Amino acid sequence: MPDSRAMTANDTDVIDQAPSARAPGRTTAAGLFSQPLAPMLTVLAVTLLTVGAILSFRTADLVAALWAANALAVAVWLRSGRGLGYDLSFGALMTFGTLAGQFLAGNTPILGLMFGAANMAEIVVAVLLARRFAPTLNLATVEGACRFIFCVAVVAPIAGALIAATGLYLLRDASFLMTFQTWWFGHALGLAVIAPFVLAVDSRTVRNLFSPWRAVETVLLFSLLAAVCFCAYFLLDAPLGFTLIPILIMIAARLRVVGVTAALVVVSAAGMVSMMMGAGPWQSTAGDVADRAMLLQLTLLFGYVPIVLVASLLEERDRLSERAKAGQVRAERASAAKSRLLANVAHEIKSPIGGVIGIGDLWSSGQLGPVTETQAEMAEMLVKTARQVEALSHDLLDVARAESGAVKVELRPTDIPGILEDVRRTTAMRPEAKLLTLAVIAEGDGLVAIADSQRLAQVIDNLATNAVKYGAAGGAVTFRARRVYDGVRIEVIDQGPGLSPDKQAQLFEPFNRLGLERSTVEGHGIGLALAKRLVELQGGSIGVESTPGQGATFWIELPAA
């Protein structure tokens, strides 16, 4: 998937540390595939692979059942560069390598040209399809791997298969269907196994191999794979290919896409050699070489190749995990900076506000000289406003301490009905609660929770204050405690206007007063955010249940003693 352009430098640093977090196609700038010798080495490798496949794996008349040359050419072409001039030059080199391999293997000029045309058609189609449907070449995601395997490996060989099947039918009266299916399966297998391996290799993978533990792990896993391959394909005559699946899954889990594609190369080569020799399970398999090759190709393509998607899924999980960790680190840094800012602001506010309150009290009491009734009212308003700012500074300090982890809680068995009764009495002394009915309901015995009594009382008092402020129209506030599962549930119930689902979702956000900023109800919007943090520090949870027009129930759940 394409990388987000909004990614920060920190994102990039973290993602670069994750396995295969970058698209393989983007690591070519400093890699092997950007070197000037890469095209020449690729031509040599394509020639050798062509000769080897023709001499070793021909099954249906003159068609090889396993073809790796085209996959290598496609992968290197995609990784090494693009542009009209480069494409023409690289295409010409691949044409030379393919034809050289055909002639060195002993094909006649007509057959060599026909097979060369079929191979080059397949290579060009594969490159065009990859650039169209999998432009990032990122096999470290399920989407990228699926796009490459199904849009490139499955579709591209059709072009070459049609040319080869038609040519052999006209030249040698060969079976069109047998030629087509042998070509398609063999070349699709190469593109699905060899090309992903080449695309997944990058400098990070090479560096990982120099890690002692990773090198030992890789050697052990591939030694186990080689041993099982030898037993399944050469030593025993029973069909035991399924025993390779757990090992391939282990390799996918530990070594990801690079490891599992390399393992599939080993398995494919071992299976083909065994099939051509008639060893192992092929001793008792009916049919000619073409039929047995078809059976092996089907097993490799549909039994083993899908494990590449498992490795891609794991790599994608790794990348997302690294991004999540990077986001968490940024969020924690931002939260710490915000907490420091809040603490600094609160400290800066406290000193001058204390002076304002002192002057206001002296002024209103007449100690600074005679005052008129209007001046006394203004002084009282000044003191009231200053005390609101002072309360805000205390709340800001509490929020900053809670978010920075400076708040320490002392957890011990706490009698919940007793705390509720204390909060009820305190609430009843407030002027705005004179016309309210306040009640405590304790349902059952043993309502003792593990909590910090002081902090819990602070939280419940905050909920009671909100219930009085916003739910006074209902005429009653109820404090209830009851057992739930292995905990104690505390509820503060009002009969006010209630809350809509949208407002409930925003309720515990700092400085969010749900649109009541300009109302006559005083507040700063940080009490519930602080309450939530304090409850979580005590190992509990907090929430609200409300229906518009039917009041609200704020609840706290704490572990029972």
Side-chain angles (χ1 to χ4, degrees), residues 436-437 467 470-478 492-498 549-553:
L436 293 177
T437 300
Y470 305 109
V477 173
T478 303
V492 179
I493 307 166
D494 66 61
Q495 298 175 3
Q550 300 182 22
T553 298

Side-chain angles (χ1 to χ4, degrees), residues 57 59 63-67 181-187 189 272 275 282 290-303 305:
F57 302 132
T59 57
V63 179
L66 177 63
W67 195 265
Q181 67 184 15
T182 302
W183 179 288
W184 184 86
F185 277 113
H187 288 238
L189 181 60
M272 282 295 172
M275 184 268 300
W282 306 108
D291 293 332
R292 287 183 289 177
M294 182 64 59
L295 177 61
L296 179 60
Q297 289 171 335
L298 288 171
T299 301
L300 294 171
L301 272 175
F302 299 108
V305 170

Side-chain angles (χ1 to χ4, degrees), residues 170-364:
L170 295 175
L171 294 175
R172 300 172 59 90
D173 197 27
S175 169
F176 182 90
L177 180 60
M178 181 61 70
T179 302
F180 181 90
Q181 67 184 15
T182 302
W183 179 288
W184 184 86
F185 277 113
H187 288 238
L189 181 60
L191 285 171
V193 173
I194 305 296
F197 171 72
V198 177
L199 291 174
V201 171
D202 57 16
S203 57
R204 185 182 302 105
T205 307
V206 176
R207 286 197 304 269
N208 287 340
L209 290 179
F210 290 96
S211 171
W213 290 111
R214 180 52 60 89
V216 170
E217 181 181 42
T218 303
V219 170
L220 290 176
L221 286 173
F222 274 85
S223 297
L224 177 62
L225 178 69
V228 176
C229 280
F230 178 75
C231 293
Y233 286 127
F234 295 96
L235 188 61
L236 304 175
D237 59 0
L240 298 175
F242 64 90
T243 58
L244 294 169
I245 294 178
I247 301 173
L248 291 174
I249 293 177
M250 264 197 306
I251 293 175
R254 298 302 305 164
L255 305 180
R256 301 297 191 258
V257 174
V258 174
V260 77
T261 49
L264 289 175
V265 172
V266 174
V267 172
S268 301
M272 282 295 172
V273 171
S274 169
M275 184 268 300
M276 298 302 296
M277 294 173 56
W282 306 108
Q283 299 177 23
S284 56
T285 302
D288 57 16
V289 176
D291 293 332
R292 287 183 289 177
M294 182 64 59
L295 177 61
L296 179 60
Q297 289 171 335
L298 288 171
T299 301
L300 294 171
L301 272 175
F302 299 108
Y304 300 151
V305 170
I307 298 177
V308 174
L309 300 181
V310 176
S312 298
L313 177 63
L314 293 174
E315 287 214 28
E316 186 170 15
R317 183 204 63 179
D318 291 342
R319 184 185 62 178
L320 294 177
S321 175
E322 292 296 332
R323 286 186 173 179
K325 289 178 182 178
Q328 182 180 0
V329 169
R330 291 198 309 275
E332 290 175 352
R333 289 174 179 171
S335 178
K338 180 190 70 176
S339 298
R340 289 194 299 271
L341 176 62
L342 289 178
N344 291 336
V345 169
H347 280 297
E348 293 297 327
I349 289 175
K350 287 180 65 176
S351 298
I353 285 299
V356 171
I357 293 173
I359 294 173
D361 286 335
L362 292 174
W363 184 19
S364 63

Side-chain angles (χ1 to χ4, degrees), residues 398 401-411 451-456 458 534 537-538:
D398 283 340
R401 292 191 188 108
E403 291 189 347
S404 64
V407 174
K408 304 300 180 184
V409 294
E410 296 182 7
L411 302 180
D452 184 312
S453 58
Q454 180 182 356
R455 294 298 182 181
L456 181 58
Q458 179 183 354
L534 292 176
L537 286 174
Q538 298 174 71

